[in-house]
Amino acid sequence: MKLTFYGHSCIGIQTGDAHLLFDPFISGNPLAENIDIDSVPATHVLLSHGHGDHVADAEAILKRTGAMLISNAEICDWYAAKGIKRSTPMNIGGETDLGSFRVRFTMAQHSSTMPDGASGGDPGGFVILTGEGNIHHAGDTGLMLDMQLLKRHALRFACLPIGDNYTMGFADAVEAAKFMGVDTVVGMHYNTFPAITIDLEAAKAAFASANIQLLLPAIGETIKP
Ligand code: NI
Ligand code: MN
């Protein structure tokens, strides 16, 4: 399994032949100007909610790659109206088998409006169940007790927002990791905008004091967590 960080909450996961791309927001992110969205691989595009900083490049990448869209039903319908019919519409608590992996749509405490103001349904996150281990991409969320439900998936790692203001900050993300029982966290949703700019040394120290590994790959970097 390989993970590539494309900035903000956009993460690529390669497992077997599948390239999962979460929350593509690249062309609008000045920090990710070195990423060419036309070369980002995707067999599946997963959208946690409808906000522009999670979906901005989804249409272009879905149309270029023919990847399958995985999201809630409202977001899949919104893309179907744009001609993107290959999708897996889900809702909170559901799990489905996509062959090379299984996916669950999990809770998030956030909001979800599409860029044009349409309803983006309920926001969520994803648990991906693979032969190489199970992982979580939390989308945008605050800390919530329901995160304890993820412990039973024996997560290999979790991608958690740490930037505060719009989501939980790093101190709450440490608590989230404890709820989930994960010892490795990939930090996301930080430093993209002034409101989510954080003290990275303080974030590293907070995770270190809880004996949780915080991975902060550079934009464009591929790691094997
Ligand atoms: Ni959001
Ligand atoms: Mn966001």
Side-chain angles (χ1 to χ4, degrees):
M1 184 181 290
K2 290 183 195 165
L3 179 152
T4 303
F5 185 56
Y6 294 110
H8 202 51
S9 294
C10 184
I11 286 175
I13 298 285
Q14 182 187 356
T15 176
D17 294 336
H19 289 268
L20 284 65
L21 184 67
F22 295 87
D23 286 359
F25 168 68
I26 298 166
S27 60
N29 180 0
L31 301 179
E33 62 184 5
N34 291 331
I35 305 293
D36 173 14
I37 67 161
D38 291 328
S39 64
V40 174
T43 58
H44 302 78
V45 173
L46 301 94
L47 302 180
S48 64
H49 65 294
H51 291 160
D53 61 316
H54 297 259
V55 307
D57 294 314
E59 182 178 353
I61 292 172
L62 284 161
K63 287 184 170 170
R64 171 177 59 82
T65 60
M68 175 180 285
L69 170 63
I70 305 171
S71 191
N72 68 30
E74 290 82 358
I75 290 175
C76 289
D77 284 348
W78 194 80
Y79 280 98
K82 295 176 175 293
I84 293 161
K85 313 280 189 191
R86 190 162 175 258
S87 67
T88 300
M90 302 185 73
N91 215 322
I92 304 294
E95 179 179 317
T96 192
D97 188 348
L98 293 177
S100 50
F101 62 92
R102 299 179 68 86
V103 54
R104 296 180 72 98
F105 195 58
T106 59
M107 279 184 70
Q109 285 287 6
H110 193 65
S111 56
S112 179
T113 304
M114 304 309 299
D116 65 355
S119 169
D122 284 329
F126 299 95
V127 168
I128 307 297
L129 305 140
T130 84
E132 299 180 275
N134 304 330
I135 65 165
H136 179 49
H137 184 293
D140 279 0
T141 183
L143 179 66
M144 54 180 178
L145 288 169
D146 302 80
M147 288 165 168
Q148 295 170 105
L149 292 170
L150 302 187
K151 204 166 193 169
R152 66 209 152 119
H153 299 304
L155 298 169
R156 177 168 162 171
F157 62 88
C159 305
L160 302 180
I162 60 172
D164 227 328
N165 195 81
Y166 302 114
T167 67
M168 58 189 176
F170 59 79
D172 280 4
V174 169
E175 298 307 311
K178 291 180 190 170
F179 282 162
M180 296 174 190
V182 292
D183 57 15
T184 301
V185 167
V186 178
M188 60 180 191
H189 213 274
Y190 69 95
N191 285 7
T192 318
F193 315 116
I196 60 172
T197 296
I198 61 168
D199 180 343
L200 282 182
E201 293 311 312
K204 290 173 190 168
F207 277 89
S209 68
N211 284 318
I212 298 166
Q213 182 181 31
L214 176 64
L215 302 176
L216 298 172
I219 295 175
E221 186 180 358
T222 297
I223 60 174
K224 292 182 177 177

